Amino acid sequence: MASDGVPPIIAAQLNYLLSHFPLSVKIEHLWSGSKFSTGVIDRFTIVIPYCLDFIKWDFIYNSESPISAPDVIFGAEDENFLSFLARNDGVEGNANSAKNCLSDWNGKDPTRLMVLLQQLRDQYMNYQRKRVDEVDDDRLKFEVSTIAFREPEEVKFAVPLTEMNIDKMVHGCPWRHSPKIYLQVIYPVGRKYVSASSAPRLKLLSTSDLKSIFSIEDFKLPPWLDGMCMAEYLPHLEESLEKQILEAVSLIDVRRRFIESLAPLFGRPLEADPIFCRKATFLAGSGAFTFLVHFSISTQFPKQQPGLMLQSSQHMNSHGVPAKSPLITEYPWSPRWETSVMAEKIFEFLVDEALNFKRYCNEAQLQH
């Protein structure tokens, strides 16, 4: 991160936190505690993932003594968390408690902020679990007793799914960590639960990397049967999910073969996604008119045909940007065709479409 205006000691801790924290934290709203506009930046807000949501805590350093431990301000909705910490943090003599981390603070150690944040987040999980235990709802208590969960927030469960190392299945995968998939479960809560048959609200969520090969929005959750509990539901869900992920990984090779089938007609691609095979760009021509053809290939390929966008090499708009066509998704297509036939049909389509695009570019240029 940019460290302009941040004391080097604090900047080193921030950079280590962003590089090594196991979850994707963000820094926002950096500001100075000084009343002068040129004051040194010594406080900031950290956005921390929690239970498929985010919590925001302010960390307040002192620019006059950046080596000292920061103060931490928690959200207004967690006003009881501080008293929970006072009662529970380190009660079992844990040398790694947040209290000990602050009392033994070594500002020259760049790992200290990350360690503190991890310990506070762990205690925050304990705090939320305690709040869940205090909810007077028989259904919730039953469900908590039947499944192993990680991060409940009141009655919202984030259940980790499938232990597949998806990053290991994709050759050359650039991900730092294997994508995580969770089932978000929200149970109806009543002061006196009467019926145990009410279905929870379910939603599949994942870390952002997964969308490169698999869209969880396209995954259809198995039905929740009357009287079912999570311990019965999860095996069916994971079996279906793993099957579709394996299929999604196999489709990378299908997309690769499609891109390779374009080369005999368009020539070697100028650019292509070599890992997930989701994008490719080729140079094409119609007489003296040359243009680029950008292919955008969905994870649903070949069920869903690629989107095409044409970009002129000879026409610019009023802002000096190359003229482009709207995304083209309507042209002859069948997912049952061989990839070579798909490529031929697109090439034939573009023979006529190139003339339309050239006319569009000329007319647009005349208007400017």
Side-chain angles (χ1 to χ4, degrees), residues 293-294 296 305-310 325-331 349-350 353-354 356-357:
V293 184
H294 300 287
S296 177
Q305 63 203 88
L308 310 178
M309 181 179 289
L310 311 185
S325 73
L327 188 67
I328 302 170
T329 56
E330 296 293 331
Y331 53 85
F349 168 78
L350 288 177
E353 189 63 24
N356 296 330
F357 180 53

PDB file of all heavy atoms in Angstrom, residues 293-294 296 305-310 325-331 349-350 353-354 356-357:
ATOM      1  N   VAL A 293     -10.795  -8.612 -32.849  1.00  0.00           N
ATOM      2  CA  VAL A 293     -11.963  -9.367 -32.390  1.00  0.00           C
ATOM      3  C   VAL A 293     -11.645  -9.881 -30.982  1.00  0.00           C
ATOM      4  O   VAL A 293     -10.724 -10.682 -30.798  1.00  0.00           O
ATOM      5  CB  VAL A 293     -12.289 -10.559 -33.307  1.00  0.00           C
ATOM      6  CG1 VAL A 293     -13.574 -11.246 -32.842  1.00  0.00           C
ATOM      7  CG2 VAL A 293     -12.407 -10.105 -34.756  1.00  0.00           C
ATOM      8  N   HIS A 294     -12.389  -9.359 -30.003  1.00  0.00           N
ATOM      9  CA  HIS A 294     -12.204  -9.783 -28.618  1.00  0.00           C
ATOM     10  C   HIS A 294     -13.239 -10.866 -28.295  1.00  0.00           C
ATOM     11  O   HIS A 294     -14.445 -10.643 -28.449  1.00  0.00           O
ATOM     12  CB  HIS A 294     -12.397  -8.605 -27.658  1.00  0.00           C
ATOM     13  CG  HIS A 294     -11.438  -7.469 -27.889  1.00  0.00           C
ATOM     14  ND1 HIS A 294     -10.108  -7.547 -27.557  1.00  0.00           N
ATOM     15  CD2 HIS A 294     -11.631  -6.228 -28.430  1.00  0.00           C
ATOM     16  CE1 HIS A 294      -9.513  -6.401 -27.858  1.00  0.00           C
ATOM     17  NE2 HIS A 294     -10.409  -5.583 -28.399  1.00  0.00           N
ATOM     18  N   SER A 296     -14.945 -13.132 -25.397  1.00  0.00           N
ATOM     19  CA  SER A 296     -15.180 -13.287 -23.958  1.00  0.00           C
ATOM     20  C   SER A 296     -15.932 -14.598 -23.753  1.00  0.00           C
ATOM     21  O   SER A 296     -17.082 -14.738 -24.185  1.00  0.00           O
ATOM     22  CB  SER A 296     -15.999 -12.109 -23.424  1.00  0.00           C
ATOM     23  OG  SER A 296     -16.287 -12.267 -22.056  1.00  0.00           O
ATOM     24  N   GLN A 305     -22.721 -19.241 -25.729  1.00  0.00           N
ATOM     25  CA  GLN A 305     -21.751 -18.881 -26.759  1.00  0.00           C
ATOM     26  C   GLN A 305     -20.900 -17.692 -26.311  1.00  0.00           C
ATOM     27  O   GLN A 305     -21.323 -16.884 -25.486  1.00  0.00           O
ATOM     28  CB  GLN A 305     -22.477 -18.551 -28.062  1.00  0.00           C
ATOM     29  CG  GLN A 305     -23.414 -17.346 -27.996  1.00  0.00           C
ATOM     30  CD  GLN A 305     -24.462 -17.415 -29.068  1.00  0.00           C
ATOM     31  OE1 GLN A 305     -25.518 -18.006 -28.870  1.00  0.00           O
ATOM     32  NE2 GLN A 305     -24.192 -16.813 -30.224  1.00  0.00           N
ATOM     33  N   PRO A 306     -19.688 -17.571 -26.862  1.00  0.00           N
ATOM     34  CA  PRO A 306     -18.820 -16.452 -26.479  1.00  0.00           C
ATOM     35  C   PRO A 306     -19.415 -15.105 -26.890  1.00  0.00           C
ATOM     36  O   PRO A 306     -20.129 -15.001 -27.894  1.00  0.00           O
ATOM     37  CB  PRO A 306     -17.529 -16.734 -27.247  1.00  0.00           C
ATOM     38  CG  PRO A 306     -17.575 -18.189 -27.586  1.00  0.00           C
ATOM     39  CD  PRO A 306     -19.023 -18.509 -27.777  1.00  0.00           C
ATOM     40  N   GLY A 307     -19.103 -14.087 -26.115  1.00  0.00           N
ATOM     41  CA  GLY A 307     -19.431 -12.730 -26.519  1.00  0.00           C
ATOM     42  C   GLY A 307     -18.315 -12.189 -27.399  1.00  0.00           C
ATOM     43  O   GLY A 307     -17.133 -12.427 -27.149  1.00  0.00           O
ATOM     44  N   LEU A 308     -18.681 -11.476 -28.456  1.00  0.00           N
ATOM     45  CA  LEU A 308     -17.707 -10.907 -29.384  1.00  0.00           C
ATOM     46  C   LEU A 308     -17.768  -9.390 -29.313  1.00  0.00           C
ATOM     47  O   LEU A 308     -18.856  -8.801 -29.246  1.00  0.00           O
ATOM     48  CB  LEU A 308     -18.001 -11.349 -30.820  1.00  0.00           C
ATOM     49  CG  LEU A 308     -18.216 -12.842 -31.086  1.00  0.00           C
ATOM     50  CD1 LEU A 308     -18.542 -13.071 -32.557  1.00  0.00           C
ATOM     51  CD2 LEU A 308     -16.994 -13.647 -30.673  1.00  0.00           C
ATOM     52  N   MET A 309     -16.628  -8.763 -29.318  1.00  0.00           N
ATOM     53  CA  MET A 309     -16.566  -7.304 -29.423  1.00  0.00           C
ATOM     54  C   MET A 309     -15.516  -6.942 -30.465  1.00  0.00           C
ATOM     55  O   MET A 309     -14.385  -7.428 -30.415  1.00  0.00           O
ATOM     56  CB  MET A 309     -16.223  -6.662 -28.084  1.00  0.00           C
ATOM     57  CG  MET A 309     -16.164  -5.137 -28.147  1.00  0.00           C
ATOM     58  SD  MET A 309     -15.783  -4.375 -26.548  1.00  0.00           S
ATOM     59  CE  MET A 309     -17.316  -4.686 -25.680  1.00  0.00           C
ATOM     60  N   LEU A 310     -15.893  -6.095 -31.422  1.00  0.00           N
ATOM     61  CA  LEU A 310     -14.987  -5.672 -32.483  1.00  0.00           C
ATOM     62  C   LEU A 310     -14.404  -4.308 -32.133  1.00  0.00           C
ATOM     63  O   LEU A 310     -15.113  -3.435 -31.618  1.00  0.00           O
ATOM     64  CB  LEU A 310     -15.731  -5.606 -33.817  1.00  0.00           C
ATOM     65  CG  LEU A 310     -16.570  -6.841 -34.193  1.00  0.00           C
ATOM     66  CD1 LEU A 310     -17.153  -6.678 -35.590  1.00  0.00           C
ATOM     67  CD2 LEU A 310     -15.749  -8.114 -34.088  1.00  0.00           C
ATOM     68  N   SER A 325     -17.523  -2.034 -31.091  1.00  0.00           N
ATOM     69  CA  SER A 325     -18.916  -2.434 -31.289  1.00  0.00           C
ATOM     70  C   SER A 325     -19.547  -2.778 -29.947  1.00  0.00           C
ATOM     71  O   SER A 325     -18.833  -3.039 -28.967  1.00  0.00           O
ATOM     72  CB  SER A 325     -18.982  -3.659 -32.203  1.00  0.00           C
ATOM     73  OG  SER A 325     -18.537  -4.823 -31.497  1.00  0.00           O
ATOM     74  N   PRO A 326     -20.871  -2.785 -29.875  1.00  0.00           N
ATOM     75  CA  PRO A 326     -21.515  -3.366 -28.687  1.00  0.00           C
ATOM     76  C   PRO A 326     -21.181  -4.855 -28.609  1.00  0.00           C
ATOM     77  O   PRO A 326     -20.734  -5.459 -29.596  1.00  0.00           O
ATOM     78  CB  PRO A 326     -23.014  -3.143 -28.954  1.00  0.00           C
ATOM     79  CG  PRO A 326     -23.075  -2.089 -30.011  1.00  0.00           C
ATOM     80  CD  PRO A 326     -21.843  -2.243 -30.836  1.00  0.00           C
ATOM     81  N   LEU A 327     -21.373  -5.455 -27.442  1.00  0.00           N
ATOM     82  CA  LEU A 327     -21.119  -6.884 -27.293  1.00  0.00           C
ATOM     83  C   LEU A 327     -22.078  -7.674 -28.176  1.00  0.00           C
ATOM     84  O   LEU A 327     -23.292  -7.458 -28.131  1.00  0.00           O
ATOM     85  CB  LEU A 327     -21.271  -7.301 -25.830  1.00  0.00           C
ATOM     86  CG  LEU A 327     -20.855  -8.738 -25.492  1.00  0.00           C
ATOM     87  CD1 LEU A 327     -19.345  -8.901 -25.675  1.00  0.00           C
ATOM     88  CD2 LEU A 327     -21.250  -9.089 -24.065  1.00  0.00           C
ATOM     89  N   ILE A 328     -21.545  -8.580 -28.958  1.00  0.00           N
ATOM     90  CA  ILE A 328     -22.345  -9.373 -29.903  1.00  0.00           C
ATOM     91  C   ILE A 328     -22.527 -10.781 -29.329  1.00  0.00           C
ATOM     92  O   ILE A 328     -21.555 -11.497 -29.072  1.00  0.00           O
ATOM     93  CB  ILE A 328     -21.649  -9.456 -31.275  1.00  0.00           C
ATOM     94  CG1 ILE A 328     -21.404  -8.056 -31.838  1.00  0.00           C
ATOM     95  CG2 ILE A 328     -22.480 -10.298 -32.245  1.00  0.00           C
ATOM     96  CD1 ILE A 328     -20.497  -8.053 -33.065  1.00  0.00           C
ATOM     97  N   THR A 329     -23.782 -11.161 -29.121  1.00  0.00           N
ATOM     98  CA  THR A 329     -24.074 -12.504 -28.599  1.00  0.00           C
ATOM     99  C   THR A 329     -25.077 -13.249 -29.461  1.00  0.00           C
ATOM    100  O   THR A 329     -25.453 -14.382 -29.129  1.00  0.00           O
ATOM    101  CB  THR A 329     -24.619 -12.417 -27.155  1.00  0.00           C
ATOM    102  OG1 THR A 329     -25.779 -11.571 -27.136  1.00  0.00           O
ATOM    103  CG2 THR A 329     -23.573 -11.849 -26.204  1.00  0.00           C
ATOM    104  N   GLU A 330     -25.515 -12.619 -30.547  1.00  0.00           N
ATOM    105  CA  GLU A 330     -26.492 -13.260 -31.434  1.00  0.00           C
ATOM    106  C   GLU A 330     -25.824 -13.594 -32.757  1.00  0.00           C
ATOM    107  O   GLU A 330     -25.534 -12.716 -33.576  1.00  0.00           O
ATOM    108  CB  GLU A 330     -27.692 -12.335 -31.654  1.00  0.00           C
ATOM    109  CG  GLU A 330     -28.502 -12.032 -30.399  1.00  0.00           C
ATOM    110  CD  GLU A 330     -29.218 -13.257 -29.852  1.00  0.00           C
ATOM    111  OE1 GLU A 330     -29.553 -14.153 -30.667  1.00  0.00           O
ATOM    112  OE2 GLU A 330     -29.430 -13.319 -28.637  1.00  0.00           O
ATOM    113  N   TYR A 331     -25.530 -14.856 -32.956  1.00  0.00           N
ATOM    114  CA  TYR A 331     -24.966 -15.337 -34.211  1.00  0.00           C
ATOM    115  C   TYR A 331     -25.142 -16.858 -34.229  1.00  0.00           C
ATOM    116  O   TYR A 331     -25.450 -17.460 -33.188  1.00  0.00           O
ATOM    117  CB  TYR A 331     -23.493 -14.935 -34.354  1.00  0.00           C
ATOM    118  CG  TYR A 331     -22.612 -15.330 -33.192  1.00  0.00           C
ATOM    119  CD1 TYR A 331     -22.039 -16.602 -33.113  1.00  0.00           C
ATOM    120  CD2 TYR A 331     -22.341 -14.430 -32.163  1.00  0.00           C
ATOM    121  CE1 TYR A 331     -21.227 -16.965 -32.054  1.00  0.00           C
ATOM    122  CE2 TYR A 331     -21.529 -14.783 -31.087  1.00  0.00           C
ATOM    123  CZ  TYR A 331     -20.971 -16.047 -31.041  1.00  0.00           C
ATOM    124  OH  TYR A 331     -20.179 -16.410 -29.992  1.00  0.00           O
ATOM    125  N   PHE A 349     -19.719 -15.527 -40.007  1.00  0.00           N
ATOM    126  CA  PHE A 349     -20.565 -14.442 -39.508  1.00  0.00           C
ATOM    127  C   PHE A 349     -19.828 -13.105 -39.570  1.00  0.00           C
ATOM    128  O   PHE A 349     -20.395 -12.075 -39.960  1.00  0.00           O
ATOM    129  CB  PHE A 349     -20.991 -14.752 -38.074  1.00  0.00           C
ATOM    130  CG  PHE A 349     -21.623 -13.595 -37.356  1.00  0.00           C
ATOM    131  CD1 PHE A 349     -22.933 -13.232 -37.604  1.00  0.00           C
ATOM    132  CD2 PHE A 349     -20.893 -12.849 -36.431  1.00  0.00           C
ATOM    133  CE1 PHE A 349     -23.514 -12.139 -36.945  1.00  0.00           C
ATOM    134  CE2 PHE A 349     -21.457 -11.782 -35.760  1.00  0.00           C
ATOM    135  CZ  PHE A 349     -22.778 -11.428 -36.018  1.00  0.00           C
ATOM    136  N   LEU A 350     -18.544 -13.108 -39.220  1.00  0.00           N
ATOM    137  CA  LEU A 350     -17.791 -11.863 -39.164  1.00  0.00           C
ATOM    138  C   LEU A 350     -17.457 -11.305 -40.544  1.00  0.00           C
ATOM    139  O   LEU A 350     -17.149 -10.107 -40.672  1.00  0.00           O
ATOM    140  CB  LEU A 350     -16.502 -12.069 -38.359  1.00  0.00           C
ATOM    141  CG  LEU A 350     -16.697 -12.240 -36.849  1.00  0.00           C
ATOM    142  CD1 LEU A 350     -15.367 -12.505 -36.164  1.00  0.00           C
ATOM    143  CD2 LEU A 350     -17.358 -10.999 -36.248  1.00  0.00           C
ATOM    144  N   GLU A 353     -20.408  -9.165 -40.810  1.00  0.00           N
ATOM    145  CA  GLU A 353     -20.476  -8.224 -39.689  1.00  0.00           C
ATOM    146  C   GLU A 353     -19.376  -7.178 -39.788  1.00  0.00           C
ATOM    147  O   GLU A 353     -19.550  -6.035 -39.336  1.00  0.00           O
ATOM    148  CB  GLU A 353     -20.360  -8.984 -38.360  1.00  0.00           C
ATOM    149  CG  GLU A 353     -20.639  -8.144 -37.123  1.00  0.00           C
ATOM    150  CD  GLU A 353     -22.063  -7.607 -37.088  1.00  0.00           C
ATOM    151  OE1 GLU A 353     -22.954  -8.210 -37.723  1.00  0.00           O
ATOM    152  OE2 GLU A 353     -22.278  -6.576 -36.403  1.00  0.00           O
ATOM    153  N   ALA A 354     -18.228  -7.531 -40.388  1.00  0.00           N
ATOM    154  CA  ALA A 354     -17.137  -6.570 -40.543  1.00  0.00           C
ATOM    155  C   ALA A 354     -17.569  -5.373 -41.386  1.00  0.00           C
ATOM    156  O   ALA A 354     -17.185  -4.226 -41.123  1.00  0.00           O
ATOM    157  CB  ALA A 354     -15.922  -7.255 -41.174  1.00  0.00           C
ATOM    158  N   ASN A 356     -20.671  -4.226 -41.658  1.00  0.00           N
ATOM    159  CA  ASN A 356     -21.570  -3.428 -40.820  1.00  0.00           C
ATOM    160  C   ASN A 356     -20.780  -2.598 -39.808  1.00  0.00           C
ATOM    161  O   ASN A 356     -21.093  -1.434 -39.550  1.00  0.00           O
ATOM    162  CB  ASN A 356     -22.554  -4.340 -40.073  1.00  0.00           C
ATOM    163  CG  ASN A 356     -23.477  -5.088 -41.009  1.00  0.00           C
ATOM    164  OD1 ASN A 356     -23.803  -4.592 -42.090  1.00  0.00           O
ATOM    165  ND2 ASN A 356     -23.894  -6.279 -40.616  1.00  0.00           N
ATOM    166  N   PHE A 357     -19.729  -3.209 -39.236  1.00  0.00           N
ATOM    167  CA  PHE A 357     -18.930  -2.510 -38.234  1.00  0.00           C
ATOM    168  C   PHE A 357     -18.145  -1.361 -38.872  1.00  0.00           C
ATOM    169  O   PHE A 357     -18.029  -0.273 -38.298  1.00  0.00           O
ATOM    170  CB  PHE A 357     -17.980  -3.494 -37.553  1.00  0.00           C
ATOM    171  CG  PHE A 357     -17.105  -2.876 -36.499  1.00  0.00           C
ATOM    172  CD1 PHE A 357     -17.650  -2.126 -35.464  1.00  0.00           C
ATOM    173  CD2 PHE A 357     -15.723  -3.033 -36.552  1.00  0.00           C
ATOM    174  CE1 PHE A 357     -16.845  -1.554 -34.490  1.00  0.00           C
ATOM    175  CE2 PHE A 357     -14.902  -2.459 -35.583  1.00  0.00           C
ATOM    176  CZ  PHE A 357     -15.464  -1.716 -34.546  1.00  0.00           C
TER     177      PHE A 357
END
